[in-house]
Amino acid sequence: MNVGIIGSGTMGSGIAQVAATAGCQVKLYDTNQAALDKAKAVLEKVLSRLIEKGRIDADEKERIQSNISYVDSLKDLSDANLTIEAIIENLDIKKKVFSELEGYVADDCIIASNTSSLSIASIAASLQNPERCVGIHFFNPAPLMKLVEVIPAIQTSEVVLQKSIETISDWKKVVAVAKDTPGFIVNRVARPFYGEALRIYEEGIADFATIDWSLKTIGGFRMGPFELMDFIGNDVNYTVTETVFTAFYFDPRYKPAFTQKRFSEAGYLGRKSGRGYYDYSEGATKPSPIEDKGLAEKICNRVLVMLINEAADALFLNIASAEDIDNAMTKGVNYPKGLLAWADEIGIDKCVTALDRLYDEYHEDRYRCSLLLRKMNREHKTFF
């Protein structure tokens, strides 16, 4: 298969590596020659490290590298069977690129977007043949993260959807099919992990380090929400939250936090800027958490029940199947358990009670219990 990747940044380069490793002939396109040179150098470094770790040998490294060529013209993607766009999250720019690209590729070439939150239907509408458009959303770093969300637009043909699923599966990835709604599965369901943690901080219940410690110690999450936001980048994470909030007609469940907005405005973006919720400068000492188990359980349970509520609502609104939702969260963002399976373990009744308690306390629609959870509790059902 001939694959064209548009955009040679971290995500585009990672997807190119995945496709090349699977034996595809890949053309990585960018208008910036310096960016292409950097992508080539980074791949060299990554593959050399894999040799050092014993994951691949020199022949495999050479095979992967030989499968990728670097091009600076969209016309060079004319022989592609599949193109995946991985550029800036700007709908107008994406539409412009897609419209131009369609003039160069064959009629049966699948044109996909790696967008994390923009409407696939809107992107597809820029094409003369929108049936060929689909969302194929990888997670960073693409070579390591097992999950890929495949998102059909309302225009996407069944043939294109099935071929996309088969291709990504052949690339040894776990596919979760999601409805074309804001944030798809992961970036929608995960919002409370950040948003509720920020709310807890803003209420003065605990500081960043304590909240992170609570989620890791009690919940078993690999990274706390503030560590993860610093890793992702506060600017990126805030933009996704704002996009989802706006796209859902300002539903208070997705309301952004002023704390994150101010940190982003101040340039405290996280690891990439040297400072975020934590100081990453040389010699800086990370603050110690307050190791109070009772407080930690209170914090973790509040965030967790909000996550479960979001996952249940995604199922209720047919965003994805229960299996795909849980797979998405464990393989897309490394949650210790699938949220719906976690709800079964905790008890649906306890989840409903906890949410109702929050709603009674705050009287905010943010804490409304999913109708599906309430119905399942009444009927004594479980997700699995």
Side-chain angles (χ1 to χ4, degrees), residues 298-316:
K298 180 182 176 182
I299 291 168
C300 181
N301 291 341
R302 177 169 162 179
V303 173
L304 180 56
V305 77
M306 291 291 281
L307 285 167
I308 287 170
N309 195 45
E310 198 59 47
D313 218 47
L315 180 63
F316 175 62

Side-chain angles (χ1 to χ4, degrees), residues 84-123:
I84 303 176
E85 163 273 315
I87 59 174
I88 187 171
E89 285 287 87
N90 180 297
L91 184 58
D92 290 336
I93 293 174
K94 289 181 189 291
K95 282 185 169 185
K96 183 178 179 182
V97 170
F98 273 47
S99 181
E100 182 183 350
L101 175 68
E102 189 176 30
Y104 302 132
V105 297
D107 291 342
D108 60 352
C109 174
I110 295 172
I111 300 179
S113 175
N114 184 62
T115 181
S116 60
S117 57
L118 296 176
S119 162
I120 304 301
S122 292
I123 295 171

Side-chain angles (χ1 to χ4, degrees), residues 149-373:
E149 293 175 326
V150 173
I151 309 99
I154 56 174
Q155 304 101 310
T156 307
S157 74
E158 186 62 28
V159 171
V160 166
L161 173 60
Q162 291 305 319
K163 191 171 181 181
S164 299
I165 292 170
E166 290 169 11
T167 298
I168 301 304
S169 298
D170 287 344
W171 292 1
K172 309 301 181 187
K173 296 296 183 181
V174 175
V175 173
V177 179
K179 187 183 285 187
D180 183 17
T181 52
F184 312 133
I185 303 172
V186 172
N187 280 319
R188 173 191 181 144
V189 174
R191 287 340 313 148
F193 190 68
Y194 316 110
E196 203 58 27
L198 282 157
R199 180 68 178 265
I200 289 167
Y201 165 77
E202 290 180 340
E203 289 177 13
I205 294 171
D207 59 17
F208 304 140
T210 300
I211 295 170
D212 280 350
W213 179 81
S214 301
L215 270 296
K216 291 189 292 183
T217 303
I218 304 299
F221 291 90
R222 294 187 187 183
M223 298 177 76
F226 295 98
E227 290 173 326
L228 186 52
M229 284 186 282
D230 272 356
F231 180 78
I232 295 168
N234 268 305
D235 52 342
V236 175
N237 191 267
Y238 178 79
T239 298
V240 172
T241 300
E242 193 174 43
T243 300
V244 171
F245 179 55
T246 303
F248 273 109
Y249 307 106
F250 307 103
D251 188 323
R253 286 190 306 180
Y254 310 110
K255 187 177 180 180
F258 279 115
T259 295
Q260 188 171 33
K261 182 176 175 62
R262 295 294 180 257
F263 269 67
S264 183
E265 290 170 341
Y268 292 179
L269 308 182
R271 290 181 179 273
K272 64 185 177 183
S273 68
R275 182 168 181 179
Y277 299 110
Y278 300 105
D279 187 349
Y280 297 95
S281 60
E282 189 174 347
T285 303
K286 191 173 182 180
S288 299
I290 297 171
E291 297 187 10
D292 180 328
K293 189 177 179 183
L295 175 62
E297 287 177 344
K298 180 182 176 182
I299 291 168
C300 181
N301 291 341
R302 177 169 162 179
V303 173
L304 180 56
V305 77
M306 291 291 281
L307 285 167
I308 287 170
N309 195 45
E310 198 59 47
D313 218 47
L315 180 63
F316 175 62
L317 295 173
N318 296 301
I319 305 306
S321 68
E323 291 79 8
D324 278 356
I325 290 170
D326 272 11
N327 268 335
M329 303 317 291
T330 55
K331 294 179 173 63
V333 276
N334 286 323
Y335 280 13
K337 301 174 186 177
L339 292 168
L340 300 178
W342 214 337
D344 286 346
E345 184 182 308
I346 293 169
I348 305 293
D349 57 333
K350 291 181 180 177
C351 294
V352 172
T353 298
L355 286 160
D356 284 347
R357 229 178 248 138
L358 284 166
Y359 186 83
D360 289 343
E361 181 73 22
Y362 289 94
H363 286 277
E364 290 183 42
D365 216 27
R366 174 189 188 92
Y367 298 107
R368 69 185 185 273
C369 178
S370 169
L371 179 60
L372 179 60
L373 277 179

